[in-house]
Amino acid sequence: MSVAQTQTGTPQVQQERRRRGLSDRAIISLFIWPTLILLIAWNVFPLFYSLFLSFTDYSAISRQAPTWVGVQNYIDILSSDRLWGYFSTTGRYTVVAVGFETILGFTLAMLIKEKFRGSGLITTLILIPMMLSPVVVGLFWKLMYNPTFGYFNYLLGFTDPTRAPDMLAGRFANQPVPDLALWSVVLVDIWMWTPFLMLLSLSGLKAIPEYLYEAAVIDRASSWFQFWRITLPQVMPLLLIGVLFRTIDALKSFDLVMGMTSGGPGDQTELIAVNLYRQAFLGQFRTGDASALAYIILIIIISVSNLLIRAINQGNTEG
Amino acid sequence: MLIPIFVMMMTAFKTRAEVVSVPPKVFFEPSLEGFVFLLTERAVVPPNRIEEFERAAAEGNLTMFEQVAFDSGQEITGPSDYIRRLMNSVIIAGLSTLISVVLGFFAAYAFSRFTIPGENDILFFILSTRMLPAVVVTIPLFLMYRQLGLHDTHIGMILLYTVFNLSFSVWLLKGFIDEIPREYEEAALVDGYTRMQTVFKIVLPQAMTGIAATTVFCLIFAWNEYAFALMLTSNTARTAPPSIATMLGRGGIEWSAIAAGSLGFLIPVVIVVFLLRDYLVRGVTFGAVRK
């Protein structure tokens, strides 16, 4: 889409461009290469080294050199029902968390987009959950959720610990509730990351030129129409970039869950990245298997991101 | 939404016994125990010195810190690492944010305004640098850093977080710069501005909302990063998140110390965000003509 846009412009401008053609090229290099060089230098070795390790039987703590096992690691992973279960848990986690974060974030942004007294302060306050380290957030919500001395149950009106939900243990009045633990972690993820999408939506909303609405009012467009035809499409590109980054991070989210449940109870909150951490660092230090699993996660993330990027590009050409 | 934050603030001012009281206390007498525990290293007072301390306390010769520590049967042996860790976080997160926003802005401008061969592929490569789970990247990074002598150095962590944030900063800023109409720059170019002048005088001011938002996000990511910091630093360059987490170990969970530490850790970012708030809520100014 940028191709078409760059070539438009008045003939005068194009003439100007030609005269400066060389310096434009120099500027492109000057602007892009520092970024690319850093990214290449920091990523190529880790990427290829872990790709190599994924085809080997290797443990980071053993003194033995990696031994080549071909695609065995991949076969083991893809034929393991347990791991497919973790993938599905991760999928549900991501869809629910990112979905709610997007809707809530956008709604919040709509609510505070008009400048009013203290809007800067309110914005800062809303952003606070995001500013905390996930490790700290995990710890604190563990304290909040504590069935005896936590505030969560207390505020919900459960004063008797024996009859109250024990969120992270996945039990309500001592009866196990399936997935309760997973959704309690998702709730924290939503609490923490809704501000991220709120701020992006807010920046997008702020950038919508007033005259679009003025024109709509002259045309007597309903506010519903204005929302669907002006607000949403204008915010969409930025909102989708936010969703893209949240999805990538949610698919590999790990420190929050690790801090709160370490995957438990049983394997209710065992996200794929949590399992990856276990394989890579706990017990056997199964570096080879972990690398293979990481590559499978990478492939999944690449496919999901591609779908989202397609949506972003579509939004750009329409907009 | 802010209830957990209030809980954290309250916890920071509670004593150990109050944190675990049932039902949770909303009203209590604030105590500095958490902060004292956070900022000091302590040891149990040996029995033969208890009298000495009691006498000093009776005469009012103990400092406030010593008094609080003594109330829980401990004496202060020295300052803790907390302030040093916090300073490391400030240096590392601050500089890496600065670099990634500056580099990201230029790259985003180039991607937004020029036709670059293989543009979409390059952009996807930039994004892909964020996709591999950190847990797996840390092992090769650890080896690489040890070879290069970057392990546990400030510069190593600054570059690492810069790289980590670049993908985000390029993508987000490109999103913002795409929204700024080209007509301004074209007009300026016709008027005889050089390309560099248009970048600094036309695009930069218009992109301030985007730059502020990107800065906030990059800062927050770098400030809070835990996994890399845990693996790639040990002492000199260790940041605050891993050290807050290690407070867990010492004789049960010292909730008030952790809360105090988190609070101290939160304040610098809140200040930065608060300083940038006007840009965040300002929106694009001077009535830009947009497509």
Side-chain angles (χ1 to χ4, degrees), chain A residues 6-313:
Chain A
T6 324
Q7 281 163 355
T8 55
T10 60
Q12 225 178 348
V13 172
Q14 280 179 344
Q15 205 178 6
E16 201 74 14
R17 279 251 170 78
R18 264 195 292 281
R19 197 152 58 79
R20 293 168 204 258
L22 193 71
S23 89
D24 271 2
R25 192 158 303 158
I27 283 174
I28 294 176
S29 309
L30 194 69
F31 280 9
I32 290 180
W33 279 110
T35 296
L36 285 184
I37 288 169
L38 265 181
L39 287 175
I40 292 168
W42 254 256
N43 284 291
V44 167
F45 173 71
L47 215 57
F48 281 97
Y49 190 72
S50 35
L51 182 63
F52 161 71
L53 287 181
S54 75
F55 293 111
T56 62
D57 185 10
Y58 177 63
S59 168
I61 46 166
S62 78
R63 284 163 194 283
Q64 280 158 350
T67 44
W68 189 264
V69 293
V71 290
Q72 192 55 48
N73 290 337
Y74 289 90
I75 294 171
D76 289 348
I77 290 167
L78 293 177
S79 57
S80 158
D81 286 341
R82 228 161 26 89
L83 281 170
W84 282 110
Y86 302 153
F87 275 116
S88 115
T89 310
T90 313
R92 284 183 294 159
Y93 181 96
T94 306
V95 170
V96 175
V98 178
F100 271 98
E101 283 157 19
T102 312
I103 295 166
L104 286 176
F106 185 77
T107 314
L108 270 175
M110 287 293 284
L111 288 177
I112 63 165
K113 77 175 164 157
E114 301 304 333
K115 197 165 169 58
F116 55 91
R117 258 177 71 89
S119 55
L121 183 68
I122 299 277
T123 314
T124 313
L125 286 178
I126 292 181
L127 290 178
I128 286 183
M130 194 176 93
M131 298 178 204
L132 290 162
S133 174
V135 183
V136 173
V137 171
L139 273 173
F140 263 89
W141 274 87
K142 208 169 158 178
L143 180 64
M144 291 277 297
Y145 278 145
N146 187 295
T148 50
F149 53 82
Y151 282 85
F152 188 80
N153 286 345
Y154 183 63
L155 291 173
L156 286 182
F158 293 101
T159 42
D160 178 5
T162 53
R163 307 189 56 84
D166 185 350
M167 301 293 281
L168 294 178
R171 300 171 78 81
F172 193 140
N174 282 325
Q175 296 300 311
V177 179
D179 284 343
L180 183 63
L182 181 66
W183 303 133
S184 19
V185 180
V186 168
L187 182 70
V188 180
D189 194 291
I190 295 172
W191 175 79
M192 185 170 181
W193 290 109
T194 296
F196 175 76
L197 286 156
M198 187 223 52
L199 185 52
L200 277 182
S201 311
L202 189 64
S203 314
L205 286 172
K206 287 283 174 182
I208 302 176
E210 208 43 49
Y211 75 84
L212 284 181
Y213 291 110
E214 284 158 12
V217 169
I218 292 168
D219 293 343
R220 296 197 189 175
S222 66
S223 49
W224 194 238
F225 181 89
Q226 290 180 27
F227 176 76
W228 282 107
R229 287 307 170 91
I230 303 174
T231 313
L232 208 55
Q234 290 270 330
V235 178
M236 216 28 126
L238 278 176
L239 192 62
L240 279 173
I241 291 177
V243 171
L244 174 68
F245 276 86
R246 267 313 295 149
T247 307
I248 292 177
D249 286 351
L251 283 173
K252 37 178 234 191
S253 64
F254 134 85
D255 27 17
L256 194 64
V257 189
M258 242 358 238
M260 289 173 70
T261 63
S262 321
D267 56 3
Q268 273 190 42
T269 57
E270 184 96 359
L271 300 186
I272 199 70
V274 174
N275 185 257
L276 179 69
Y277 174 79
R278 272 185 216 289
Q279 296 205 18
F281 291 110
L282 301 179
Q284 307 278 312
F285 272 77
R286 284 155 49 205
T287 316
D289 299 270
S291 304
L293 182 55
Y295 264 83
I296 292 175
I297 298 176
L298 180 67
I299 290 164
I300 292 174
I301 294 181
I302 286 180
S303 347
V304 174
S305 332
N306 256 318
L307 290 176
L308 282 168
I309 290 171
R310 211 161 289 172
I312 293 174
N313 284 338

Side-chain angles (χ1 to χ4, degrees), chain A residues 17 20 27 32 42-43 130-133 135-136 151 191 196 206-207 209 211 234 252 281 294 305, chain B residues 1 5 10 14 25 116 129-131 135-136 145 172 189 193 195 217 220 224 226 262 281 283 290:
Chain A
R17 279 251 170 78
R20 293 168 204 258
I27 283 174
I32 290 180
W42 254 256
N43 284 291
M130 194 176 93
M131 298 178 204
L132 290 162
S133 174
V135 183
V136 173
Y151 282 85
W191 175 79
F196 175 76
K206 287 283 174 182
Y211 75 84
Q234 290 270 330
K252 37 178 234 191
F281 291 110
S305 332
Chain B
M1 263 194 104
I5 307 288
M10 288 196 298
K14 285 181 176 180
K25 277 190 187 167
I116 294 161
T129 58
R130 207 193 172 90
M131 291 178 186
V135 177
V136 171
Y145 265 43
L172 191 60
L189 285 173
Y193 274 47
R195 200 37 106 161
F217 290 137
I220 288 172
N224 290 333
Y226 172 71
S262 315
V281 295
R290 290 156 49 96

Side-chain angles (χ1 to χ4, degrees), chain B residues 2-83:
Chain B
L2 289 173
I3 291 171
I5 307 288
F6 287 128
V7 172
M8 195 169 110
M9 281 168 151
M10 288 196 298
T11 310
F13 290 100
K14 285 181 176 180
T15 61
R16 249 188 299 187
E18 278 168 342
V19 173
V20 295
S21 69
V22 185
K25 277 190 187 167
V26 181
F27 300 102
F28 58 93
E29 202 174 317
S31 138
L32 286 176
E33 192 184 276
F35 291 90
V36 173
F37 281 15
L38 173 72
L39 295 170
T40 57
E41 293 290 336
R42 296 163 316 281
V44 175
V45 180
N48 57 342
R49 292 187 57 210
I50 289 181
E51 246 175 75
E52 184 190 326
F53 267 89
E54 275 172 350
R55 206 169 332 115
E59 288 166 9
N61 283 341
L62 289 181
T63 62
M64 190 189 71
F65 271 47
E66 285 168 338
Q67 181 67 54
V68 173
F70 181 63
D71 287 345
S72 54
Q74 292 175 309
E75 67 171 326
I76 293 168
T77 56
S80 73
D81 283 337
Y82 180 73
I83 297 293

